[in-house]
Amino acid sequence: MIDANIFSSFLAAVSDKAIIVLVGDSHQLPSVGAGRVLADLIASELVTVCTLVENFRQLQNSQIVKNASHILHGRPVEILENEKTDCHLIACGKDHIMDRISEWVRSINPELHMDVWRDMAILCPKRNGQISTDSINAFLQKQYSVMRNTSRVPLTYKENMTKYFAMSDRVIQIKNNYKLPCYDADGSTNDGVFNGDIGFIRKVYRSSDLGVDVNFDDGRNTTYPLKNVGELELAYALTVHKAQGAEWKHVLLVLPDEYGPIFNRNLLYTAVTRAKEDLWILGDMRTIDRMISRPYSDERKTALRIFLTERTEKKEQSDEEKTCPEEPK
């Protein structure tokens, strides 16, 4: 997901003699910032490319793997109606999506254990709107606060800026903070929590300069001062962009029947390939088919490939002129 500006800064910082190895999947979502660096480098045919074809995340007969390939090549997905499949469709209209989400969570994690949450994820294309990560997170937080007999505590971290958190809430760090002290499981101290770190709230401070204690999934824990609480968001549901690069045993992909540029093949492919063992798609086949028919990569206009090709051609032409001296007059 590296964009053109960050990649340019990276190249400027490394030695001209360095060997750079880029690892990624150009079929997933492009960077949020400008550019399509990995895809353009591959398309230029000026770099050595090694494609890994062996799958280690799912079993070889996995329907997740087969459908990921179908999506990648613009073909309809196949949903088998049997208990042994690892790819399921939950047909549902907008009015019942929240109830179906709640039912799915209870089927995977009936006691709402934190350890089980580490193996499951709810993904959604949109951050805002009627059916979005914001609305799903608010719905599940309210529901689980009642089930756990915990209360949502208002934490005002800036003037007119308040967030509500409860004990055991699933949360994610949304920006890099290199100064916040963090403690490893062995008691050692390291500074820094980073964009994408996910964990659980273990304590909410109701009246002090402290905000919350968080235990992260990798075993680290930290205490957030009240002023830093704005760096946390609920993480019962994540956008597909936030989920890129991660994987879970059980994934529920929520696809409302909506239109928009983000409802595309690349997003669908990225979401489907986050599941290791079981994938449930909450929506309808019409939305899935519409997303497959719309490759987002075709809509992003970039010039890196053209620039590299033209520069290489000019260099080759210049080298030829230097090696071929002019004939004497």
Side-chain angles (χ1 to χ4, degrees), residues 26-82:
S26 61
H27 301 295
Q28 293 188 32
L29 290 169
S31 57
V32 175
R36 208 172 48 137
V37 173
L38 184 60
D40 282 352
L41 287 174
I42 294 172
S44 73
E45 299 182 350
L46 296 173
V47 297
T48 302
V49 178
C50 177
T51 303
L52 304 181
V53 296
E54 190 74 21
N55 176 67
F56 295 98
R57 181 173 286 171
Q58 301 91 359
L59 297 175
Q60 290 304 309
N61 60 349
S62 165
Q63 201 66 24
I64 296 173
V65 175
K66 294 178 181 177
N67 280 328
S69 178
H70 288 332
I71 294 167
L72 196 58
H73 294 91
R75 299 193 298 265
V77 300
E78 298 176 2
I79 304 295
L80 305 179
E81 296 183 5
N82 63 64

Tab-separated table of all heavy atoms in Angstrom, residues 26-82:
chain	number	residue	atom	x	y	z
A	26	SER	N	-0.190	-6.943	-5.944
A	26	SER	CA	-0.657	-5.788	-6.726
A	26	SER	C	-2.147	-5.860	-7.040
A	26	SER	O	-2.720	-4.886	-7.536
A	26	SER	CB	0.133	-5.689	-8.036
A	26	SER	OG	-0.051	-6.847	-8.832
A	27	HIS	N	-2.776	-7.003	-6.755
A	27	HIS	CA	-4.211	-7.139	-7.028
A	27	HIS	C	-5.063	-6.658	-5.862
A	27	HIS	O	-6.282	-6.544	-5.998
A	27	HIS	CB	-4.551	-8.594	-7.333
A	27	HIS	CG	-3.808	-9.159	-8.504
A	27	HIS	ND1	-3.985	-8.696	-9.788
A	27	HIS	CD2	-2.858	-10.133	-8.579
A	27	HIS	CE1	-3.197	-9.372	-10.615
A	27	HIS	NE2	-2.503	-10.232	-9.903
A	28	GLN	N	-4.424	-6.397	-4.719
A	28	GLN	CA	-5.178	-5.883	-3.589
A	28	GLN	C	-5.379	-4.382	-3.734
A	28	GLN	O	-5.084	-3.793	-4.765
A	28	GLN	CB	-4.456	-6.233	-2.287
A	28	GLN	CG	-4.433	-7.728	-1.987
A	28	GLN	CD	-3.896	-8.036	-0.618
A	28	GLN	OE1	-4.056	-7.258	0.332
A	28	GLN	NE2	-3.246	-9.192	-0.474
A	29	LEU	N	-5.890	-3.767	-2.672
A	29	LEU	CA	-6.204	-2.346	-2.732
A	29	LEU	C	-4.947	-1.514	-2.934
A	29	LEU	O	-3.921	-1.785	-2.309
A	29	LEU	CB	-6.882	-1.915	-1.427
A	29	LEU	CG	-8.298	-2.448	-1.206
A	29	LEU	CD1	-8.734	-2.164	0.213
A	29	LEU	CD2	-9.264	-1.825	-2.193
A	30	PRO	N	-5.006	-0.505	-3.782
A	30	PRO	CA	-3.856	0.390	-3.934
A	30	PRO	C	-3.735	1.291	-2.718
A	30	PRO	O	-4.597	1.301	-1.835
A	30	PRO	CB	-4.208	1.190	-5.194
A	30	PRO	CG	-5.699	1.189	-5.227
A	30	PRO	CD	-6.136	-0.127	-4.660
A	31	SER	N	-2.674	2.049	-2.663
A	31	SER	CA	-2.442	2.945	-1.531
A	31	SER	C	-3.538	4.009	-1.437
A	31	SER	O	-4.188	4.349	-2.432
A	31	SER	CB	-1.084	3.632	-1.697
A	31	SER	OG	-1.035	4.336	-2.929
A	32	VAL	N	-3.716	4.533	-0.224
A	32	VAL	CA	-4.663	5.633	-0.037
A	32	VAL	C	-4.155	6.881	-0.755
A	32	VAL	O	-4.921	7.609	-1.380
A	32	VAL	CB	-4.876	5.907	1.465
A	32	VAL	CG1	-5.775	7.126	1.663
A	32	VAL	CG2	-5.482	4.688	2.152
A	33	GLY	N	-2.834	7.101	-0.669
A	33	GLY	CA	-2.225	8.227	-1.364
A	33	GLY	C	-2.058	7.948	-2.849
A	33	GLY	O	-2.361	6.858	-3.342
A	34	ALA	N	-1.545	8.937	-3.563
A	34	ALA	CA	-1.423	8.842	-5.017
A	34	ALA	C	-0.466	7.738	-5.432
A	34	ALA	O	0.523	7.453	-4.768
A	34	ALA	CB	-0.945	10.181	-5.581
A	35	GLY	N	-0.775	7.119	-6.558
A	35	GLY	CA	0.134	6.141	-7.137
A	35	GLY	C	-0.378	4.717	-7.066
A	35	GLY	O	-1.343	4.398	-6.365
A	36	ARG	N	0.325	3.874	-7.818
A	36	ARG	CA	0.058	2.432	-7.850
A	36	ARG	C	1.422	1.772	-8.053
A	36	ARG	O	1.695	1.136	-9.056
A	36	ARG	CB	-0.883	2.128	-9.012
A	36	ARG	CG	-1.761	0.923	-8.834
A	36	ARG	CD	-2.764	0.839	-9.957
A	36	ARG	NE	-2.161	1.017	-11.266
A	36	ARG	CZ	-2.447	0.286	-12.335
A	36	ARG	NH1	-3.328	-0.685	-12.251
A	36	ARG	NH2	-1.867	0.526	-13.503
A	37	VAL	N	2.287	1.992	-7.045
A	37	VAL	CA	3.720	1.754	-7.201
A	37	VAL	C	4.028	0.327	-7.620
A	37	VAL	O	4.705	0.088	-8.632
A	37	VAL	CB	4.467	2.122	-5.905
A	37	VAL	CG1	5.930	1.705	-6.007
A	37	VAL	CG2	4.350	3.611	-5.630
A	38	LEU	N	3.571	-0.655	-6.846
A	38	LEU	CA	3.928	-2.043	-7.126
A	38	LEU	C	3.397	-2.490	-8.484
A	38	LEU	O	4.116	-3.097	-9.278
A	38	LEU	CB	3.388	-2.956	-6.017
A	38	LEU	CG	3.762	-4.434	-6.138
A	38	LEU	CD1	5.273	-4.613	-6.121
A	38	LEU	CD2	3.120	-5.242	-5.010
A	39	ALA	N	2.138	-2.177	-8.766
A	39	ALA	CA	1.547	-2.576	-10.048
A	39	ALA	C	2.277	-1.926	-11.222
A	39	ALA	O	2.507	-2.566	-12.258
A	39	ALA	CB	0.064	-2.206	-10.076
A	40	ASP	N	2.650	-0.666	-11.091
A	40	ASP	CA	3.348	0.031	-12.178
A	40	ASP	C	4.753	-0.515	-12.390
A	40	ASP	O	5.224	-0.617	-13.529
A	40	ASP	CB	3.406	1.532	-11.887
A	40	ASP	CG	2.087	2.232	-12.176
A	40	ASP	OD1	1.199	1.574	-12.744
A	40	ASP	OD2	1.948	3.417	-11.831
A	41	LEU	N	5.442	-0.849	-11.307
A	41	LEU	CA	6.784	-1.433	-11.442
A	41	LEU	C	6.712	-2.774	-12.173
A	41	LEU	O	7.542	-3.067	-13.045
A	41	LEU	CB	7.414	-1.623	-10.061
A	41	LEU	CG	7.885	-0.356	-9.347
A	41	LEU	CD1	8.342	-0.687	-7.929
A	41	LEU	CD2	9.021	0.308	-10.115
A	42	ILE	N	5.719	-3.584	-11.829
A	42	ILE	CA	5.554	-4.874	-12.499
A	42	ILE	C	5.204	-4.675	-13.969
A	42	ILE	O	5.765	-5.322	-14.858
A	42	ILE	CB	4.473	-5.712	-11.789
A	42	ILE	CG1	4.933	-6.085	-10.367
A	42	ILE	CG2	4.140	-6.971	-12.584
A	42	ILE	CD1	3.865	-6.735	-9.516
A	43	ALA	N	4.274	-3.744	-14.243
A	43	ALA	CA	3.830	-3.503	-15.616
A	43	ALA	C	4.942	-2.929	-16.501
A	43	ALA	O	4.925	-3.110	-17.719
A	43	ALA	CB	2.631	-2.554	-15.612
A	44	SER	N	5.922	-2.269	-15.891
A	44	SER	CA	7.003	-1.678	-16.683
A	44	SER	C	7.912	-2.736	-17.303
A	44	SER	O	8.626	-2.460	-18.270
A	44	SER	CB	7.838	-0.750	-15.805
A	44	SER	OG	8.642	-1.489	-14.893
A	45	GLU	N	7.909	-3.933	-16.717
A	45	GLU	CA	8.766	-5.034	-17.172
A	45	GLU	C	10.249	-4.674	-17.089
A	45	GLU	O	11.079	-5.211	-17.812
A	45	GLU	CB	8.405	-5.467	-18.593
A	45	GLU	CG	6.976	-5.963	-18.719
A	45	GLU	CD	6.653	-6.442	-20.123
A	45	GLU	OE1	7.467	-6.222	-21.042
A	45	GLU	OE2	5.584	-7.061	-20.296
A	46	LEU	N	10.580	-3.758	-16.175
A	46	LEU	CA	11.968	-3.326	-16.004
A	46	LEU	C	12.583	-3.852	-14.707
A	46	LEU	O	13.744	-3.590	-14.427
A	46	LEU	CB	12.047	-1.798	-16.024
A	46	LEU	CG	11.634	-1.138	-17.346
A	46	LEU	CD1	11.595	0.368	-17.193
A	46	LEU	CD2	12.594	-1.535	-18.466
A	47	VAL	N	11.783	-4.558	-13.912
A	47	VAL	CA	12.278	-5.134	-12.667
A	47	VAL	C	12.044	-6.642	-12.703
A	47	VAL	O	11.130	-7.133	-13.381
A	47	VAL	CB	11.575	-4.518	-11.440
A	47	VAL	CG1	11.874	-3.039	-11.329
A	47	VAL	CG2	10.071	-4.748	-11.495
A	48	THR	N	12.863	-7.362	-11.971
A	48	THR	CA	12.696	-8.814	-11.873
A	48	THR	C	11.507	-9.121	-10.991
A	48	THR	O	11.385	-8.593	-9.882
A	48	THR	CB	13.963	-9.459	-11.280
A	48	THR	OG1	15.080	-9.138	-12.094
A	48	THR	CG2	13.810	-10.969	-11.205
A	49	VAL	N	10.611	-9.961	-11.477
A	49	VAL	CA	9.382	-10.290	-10.747
A	49	VAL	C	9.337	-11.791	-10.478
A	49	VAL	O	9.535	-12.599	-11.396
A	49	VAL	CB	8.129	-9.860	-11.535
A	49	VAL	CG1	6.866	-10.264	-10.781
A	49	VAL	CG2	8.140	-8.361	-11.791
A	50	CYS	N	9.084	-12.142	-9.247
A	50	CYS	CA	8.889	-13.541	-8.858
A	50	CYS	C	7.480	-13.667	-8.291
A	50	CYS	O	7.142	-13.002	-7.313
A	50	CYS	CB	9.925	-13.960	-7.818
A	50	CYS	SG	9.716	-15.648	-7.218
A	51	THR	N	6.647	-14.505	-8.895
A	51	THR	CA	5.265	-14.681	-8.456
A	51	THR	C	5.137	-15.965	-7.653
A	51	THR	O	5.478	-17.050	-8.147
A	51	THR	CB	4.310	-14.725	-9.661
A	51	THR	OG1	4.464	-13.522	-10.418
A	51	THR	CG2	2.864	-14.853	-9.197
A	52	LEU	N	4.647	-15.855	-6.432
A	52	LEU	CA	4.428	-17.023	-5.586
A	52	LEU	C	3.062	-17.618	-5.904
A	52	LEU	O	2.051	-16.916	-5.860
A	52	LEU	CB	4.511	-16.630	-4.108
A	52	LEU	CG	5.809	-15.937	-3.671
A	52	LEU	CD1	5.763	-15.625	-2.173
A	52	LEU	CD2	7.020	-16.806	-3.991
A	53	VAL	N	3.017	-18.889	-6.219
A	53	VAL	CA	1.765	-19.512	-6.637
A	53	VAL	C	1.273	-20.554	-5.640
A	53	VAL	O	0.143	-21.035	-5.740
A	53	VAL	CB	1.920	-20.175	-8.026
A	53	VAL	CG1	2.203	-19.122	-9.078
A	53	VAL	CG2	3.036	-21.220	-8.020
A	54	GLU	N	2.103	-20.926	-4.663
A	54	GLU	CA	1.705	-21.924	-3.672
A	54	GLU	C	0.967	-21.229	-2.536
A	54	GLU	O	1.445	-20.244	-1.975
A	54	GLU	CB	2.930	-22.658	-3.121
A	54	GLU	CG	2.604	-23.867	-2.269
A	54	GLU	CD	2.132	-25.057	-3.089
A	54	GLU	OE1	2.426	-25.079	-4.300
A	54	GLU	OE2	1.481	-25.948	-2.529
A	55	ASN	N	-0.219	-21.742	-2.174
A	55	ASN	CA	-1.028	-21.148	-1.121
A	55	ASN	C	-0.800	-21.889	0.199
A	55	ASN	O	-0.887	-23.113	0.256
A	55	ASN	CB	-2.517	-21.210	-1.491
A	55	ASN	CG	-3.393	-20.684	-0.365
A	55	ASN	OD1	-3.373	-19.509	-0.047
A	55	ASN	ND2	-4.169	-21.579	0.251
A	56	PHE	N	-0.516	-21.120	1.253
A	56	PHE	CA	-0.285	-21.727	2.558
A	56	PHE	C	-1.315	-21.281	3.597
A	56	PHE	O	-1.295	-21.754	4.719
A	56	PHE	CB	1.119	-21.360	3.072
A	56	PHE	CG	2.222	-21.930	2.216
A	56	PHE	CD1	2.849	-21.152	1.256
A	56	PHE	CD2	2.617	-23.249	2.366
A	56	PHE	CE1	3.864	-21.668	0.472
A	56	PHE	CE2	3.637	-23.777	1.583
A	56	PHE	CZ	4.259	-22.990	0.636
A	57	ARG	N	-2.192	-20.360	3.243
A	57	ARG	CA	-3.154	-19.840	4.217
A	57	ARG	C	-4.341	-20.780	4.366
A	57	ARG	O	-4.820	-21.029	5.465
A	57	ARG	CB	-3.618	-18.443	3.785
A	57	ARG	CG	-4.601	-17.811	4.742
A	57	ARG	CD	-4.890	-16.365	4.359
A	57	ARG	NE	-3.762	-15.504	4.684
A	57	ARG	CZ	-3.675	-14.245	4.303
A	57	ARG	NH1	-4.631	-13.705	3.573
A	57	ARG	NH2	-2.633	-13.509	4.642
A	58	GLN	N	-4.859	-21.317	3.257
A	58	GLN	CA	-5.993	-22.220	3.310
A	58	GLN	C	-5.619	-23.561	2.688
A	58	GLN	O	-4.573	-23.708	2.060
A	58	GLN	CB	-7.204	-21.629	2.556
A	58	GLN	CG	-7.696	-20.291	3.079
A	58	GLN	CD	-7.028	-19.112	2.391
A	58	GLN	OE1	-6.178	-19.293	1.521
A	58	GLN	NE2	-7.393	-17.905	2.792
A	59	LEU	N	-6.495	-24.544	2.869
A	59	LEU	CA	-6.306	-25.850	2.245
A	59	LEU	C	-6.467	-25.716	0.735
A	59	LEU	O	-7.152	-24.815	0.236
A	59	LEU	CB	-7.323	-26.857	2.801
A	59	LEU	CG	-7.233	-27.161	4.309
A	59	LEU	CD1	-8.380	-28.073	4.725
A	59	LEU	CD2	-5.892	-27.795	4.648
A	60	GLN	N	-5.860	-26.626	-0.004
A	60	GLN	CA	-5.869	-26.527	-1.461
A	60	GLN	C	-7.270	-26.663	-2.058
A	60	GLN	O	-7.555	-26.147	-3.124
A	60	GLN	CB	-4.930	-27.584	-2.054
A	60	GLN	CG	-3.464	-27.296	-1.789
A	60	GLN	CD	-3.050	-25.920	-2.292
A	60	GLN	OE1	-3.294	-25.566	-3.435
A	60	GLN	NE2	-2.432	-25.132	-1.420
A	61	ASN	N	-8.154	-27.399	-1.370
A	61	ASN	CA	-9.520	-27.545	-1.880
A	61	ASN	C	-10.456	-26.474	-1.315
A	61	ASN	O	-11.675	-26.597	-1.376
A	61	ASN	CB	-10.069	-28.936	-1.552
A	61	ASN	CG	-10.124	-29.204	-0.048
A	61	ASN	OD1	-9.575	-28.434	0.751
A	61	ASN	ND2	-10.775	-30.277	0.352
A	62	SER	N	-9.880	-25.414	-0.767
A	62	SER	CA	-10.654	-24.354	-0.135
A	62	SER	C	-11.475	-23.588	-1.163
A	62	SER	O	-10.978	-23.190	-2.219
A	62	SER	CB	-9.716	-23.397	0.601
A	62	SER	OG	-10.371	-22.201	0.936
A	63	GLN	N	-12.729	-23.347	-0.837
A	63	GLN	CA	-13.584	-22.528	-1.685
A	63	GLN	C	-13.178	-21.062	-1.606
A	63	GLN	O	-13.429	-20.294	-2.543
A	63	GLN	CB	-15.048	-22.711	-1.268
A	63	GLN	CG	-16.062	-22.333	-2.347
A	63	GLN	CD	-15.989	-23.253	-3.557
A	63	GLN	OE1	-15.537	-24.396	-3.454
A	63	GLN	NE2	-16.437	-22.767	-4.703
A	64	ILE	N	-12.541	-20.664	-0.501
A	64	ILE	CA	-12.020	-19.299	-0.388
A	64	ILE	C	-10.974	-19.061	-1.465
A	64	ILE	O	-10.978	-18.042	-2.161
A	64	ILE	CB	-11.418	-19.053	1.013
A	64	ILE	CG1	-12.492	-19.148	2.091
A	64	ILE	CG2	-10.729	-17.683	1.064
A	64	ILE	CD1	-11.945	-19.076	3.510
A	65	VAL	N	-10.065	-20.024	-1.622
A	65	VAL	CA	-9.005	-19.904	-2.629
A	65	VAL	C	-9.606	-19.866	-4.030
A	65	VAL	O	-9.212	-19.041	-4.868
A	65	VAL	CB	-8.012	-21.077	-2.504
A	65	VAL	CG1	-6.982	-21.025	-3.621
A	65	VAL	CG2	-7.322	-21.048	-1.146
A	66	LYS	N	-10.551	-20.749	-4.290
A	66	LYS	CA	-11.171	-20.803	-5.619
A	66	LYS	C	-11.904	-19.509	-5.947
A	66	LYS	O	-11.790	-18.977	-7.057
A	66	LYS	CB	-12.124	-21.993	-5.703
A	66	LYS	CG	-11.440	-23.352	-5.622
A	66	LYS	CD	-12.442	-24.488	-5.665
A	66	LYS	CE	-11.738	-25.841	-5.547
A	66	LYS	NZ	-12.707	-26.972	-5.521
A	67	ASN	N	-12.639	-18.998	-4.972
A	67	ASN	CA	-13.388	-17.766	-5.228
A	67	ASN	C	-12.470	-16.553	-5.337
A	67	ASN	O	-12.754	-15.628	-6.097
A	67	ASN	CB	-14.424	-17.547	-4.122
A	67	ASN	CG	-15.674	-18.395	-4.331
A	67	ASN	OD1	-16.054	-18.667	-5.468
A	67	ASN	ND2	-16.292	-18.817	-3.249
A	68	ALA	N	-11.370	-16.545	-4.601
A	68	ALA	CA	-10.397	-15.464	-4.758
A	68	ALA	C	-9.859	-15.441	-6.181
A	68	ALA	O	-9.692	-14.373	-6.791
A	68	ALA	CB	-9.258	-15.637	-3.755
A	69	SER	N	-9.604	-16.625	-6.732
A	69	SER	CA	-9.136	-16.713	-8.120
A	69	SER	C	-10.222	-16.253	-9.094
A	69	SER	O	-9.934	-15.539	-10.070
A	69	SER	CB	-8.722	-18.149	-8.439
A	69	SER	OG	-8.306	-18.274	-9.780
A	70	HIS	N	-11.466	-16.649	-8.831
A	70	HIS	CA	-12.581	-16.212	-9.688
A	70	HIS	C	-12.683	-14.686	-9.694
A	70	HIS	O	-12.844	-14.071	-10.755
A	70	HIS	CB	-13.899	-16.815	-9.189
A	70	HIS	CG	-14.031	-18.289	-9.437
A	70	HIS	ND1	-13.399	-18.922	-10.472
A	70	HIS	CD2	-14.728	-19.256	-8.786
A	70	HIS	CE1	-13.694	-20.213	-10.469
A	70	HIS	NE2	-14.501	-20.438	-9.438
A	71	ILE	N	-12.612	-14.078	-8.517
A	71	ILE	CA	-12.707	-12.620	-8.409
A	71	ILE	C	-11.564	-11.961	-9.171
A	71	ILE	O	-11.761	-11.010	-9.923
A	71	ILE	CB	-12.689	-12.194	-6.926
A	71	ILE	CG1	-13.942	-12.699	-6.212
A	71	ILE	CG2	-12.582	-10.670	-6.801
A	71	ILE	CD1	-13.873	-12.599	-4.696
A	72	LEU	N	-10.370	-12.500	-8.989
A	72	LEU	CA	-9.181	-11.942	-9.620
A	72	LEU	C	-9.297	-11.921	-11.136
A	72	LEU	O	-8.832	-10.990	-11.801
A	72	LEU	CB	-7.955	-12.753	-9.198
A	72	LEU	CG	-6.583	-12.152	-9.433
A	72	LEU	CD1	-6.440	-10.820	-8.731
A	72	LEU	CD2	-5.506	-13.122	-8.954
A	73	HIS	N	-9.947	-12.940	-11.680
A	73	HIS	CA	-10.064	-13.058	-13.134
A	73	HIS	C	-11.431	-12.601	-13.657
A	73	HIS	O	-11.763	-12.856	-14.818
A	73	HIS	CB	-9.805	-14.505	-13.555
A	73	HIS	CG	-8.393	-14.963	-13.295
A	73	HIS	ND1	-8.013	-15.573	-12.116
A	73	HIS	CD2	-7.277	-14.852	-14.052
A	73	HIS	CE1	-6.715	-15.844	-12.167
A	73	HIS	NE2	-6.244	-15.410	-13.320
A	74	GLY	N	-12.217	-11.939	-12.809
A	74	GLY	CA	-13.483	-11.361	-13.249
A	74	GLY	C	-14.591	-12.364	-13.462
A	74	GLY	O	-15.535	-12.093	-14.212
A	75	ARG	N	-14.507	-13.517	-12.789
A	75	ARG	CA	-15.543	-14.543	-12.934
A	75	ARG	C	-16.450	-14.561	-11.707
A	75	ARG	O	-16.026	-14.182	-10.601
A	75	ARG	CB	-14.909	-15.920	-13.130
A	75	ARG	CG	-14.037	-16.025	-14.384
A	75	ARG	CD	-13.712	-17.477	-14.680
A	75	ARG	NE	-12.948	-18.101	-13.624
A	75	ARG	CZ	-11.613	-18.197	-13.613
A	75	ARG	NH1	-10.906	-17.680	-14.612
A	75	ARG	NH2	-10.988	-18.788	-12.617
A	76	PRO	N	-17.705	-15.043	-11.840
A	76	PRO	CA	-18.615	-15.092	-10.687
A	76	PRO	C	-18.097	-16.047	-9.609
A	76	PRO	O	-17.467	-17.059	-9.910
A	76	PRO	CB	-19.930	-15.612	-11.294
A	76	PRO	CG	-19.818	-15.339	-12.760
A	76	PRO	CD	-18.368	-15.453	-13.098
A	77	VAL	N	-18.374	-15.714	-8.356
A	77	VAL	CA	-17.989	-16.595	-7.259
A	77	VAL	C	-18.939	-17.784	-7.194
A	77	VAL	O	-20.054	-17.744	-7.713
A	77	VAL	CB	-17.982	-15.852	-5.907
A	77	VAL	CG1	-16.996	-14.705	-5.929
A	77	VAL	CG2	-19.375	-15.350	-5.551
A	78	GLU	N	-18.496	-18.847	-6.537
A	78	GLU	CA	-19.300	-20.053	-6.357
A	78	GLU	C	-19.529	-20.259	-4.864
A	78	GLU	O	-18.588	-20.439	-4.104
A	78	GLU	CB	-18.593	-21.272	-6.951
A	78	GLU	CG	-18.363	-21.179	-8.456
A	78	GLU	CD	-17.580	-22.373	-8.978
A	78	GLU	OE1	-17.268	-23.280	-8.168
A	78	GLU	OE2	-17.254	-22.391	-10.175
A	79	ILE	N	-20.780	-20.222	-4.447
A	79	ILE	CA	-21.145	-20.463	-3.055
A	79	ILE	C	-21.825	-21.825	-2.988
A	79	ILE	O	-22.926	-22.020	-3.517
A	79	ILE	CB	-22.087	-19.380	-2.507
A	79	ILE	CG1	-21.465	-17.993	-2.680
A	79	ILE	CG2	-22.401	-19.659	-1.044
A	79	ILE	CD1	-20.217	-17.752	-1.876
A	80	LEU	N	-21.183	-22.795	-2.358
A	80	LEU	CA	-21.725	-24.148	-2.240
A	80	LEU	C	-22.650	-24.232	-1.027
A	80	LEU	O	-22.318	-23.729	0.048
A	80	LEU	CB	-20.592	-25.171	-2.111
A	80	LEU	CG	-19.538	-25.151	-3.217
A	80	LEU	CD1	-18.467	-26.203	-2.939
A	80	LEU	CD2	-20.180	-25.399	-4.578
A	81	GLU	N	-23.784	-24.857	-1.207
A	81	GLU	CA	-24.742	-24.979	-0.111
A	81	GLU	C	-24.543	-26.299	0.623
A	81	GLU	O	-25.357	-27.223	0.532
A	81	GLU	CB	-26.169	-24.862	-0.649
A	81	GLU	CG	-26.481	-23.490	-1.255
A	81	GLU	CD	-27.916	-23.382	-1.716
A	81	GLU	OE1	-28.678	-24.339	-1.478
A	81	GLU	OE2	-28.273	-22.346	-2.301
A	82	ASN	N	-23.439	-26.397	1.340
A	82	ASN	CA	-23.217	-27.564	2.188
A	82	ASN	C	-22.394	-27.140	3.399
A	82	ASN	O	-21.745	-26.095	3.410
A	82	ASN	CB	-22.524	-28.697	1.421
A	82	ASN	CG	-21.135	-28.308	0.933
A	82	ASN	OD1	-20.242	-28.045	1.721
A	82	ASN	ND2	-20.956	-28.257	-0.392
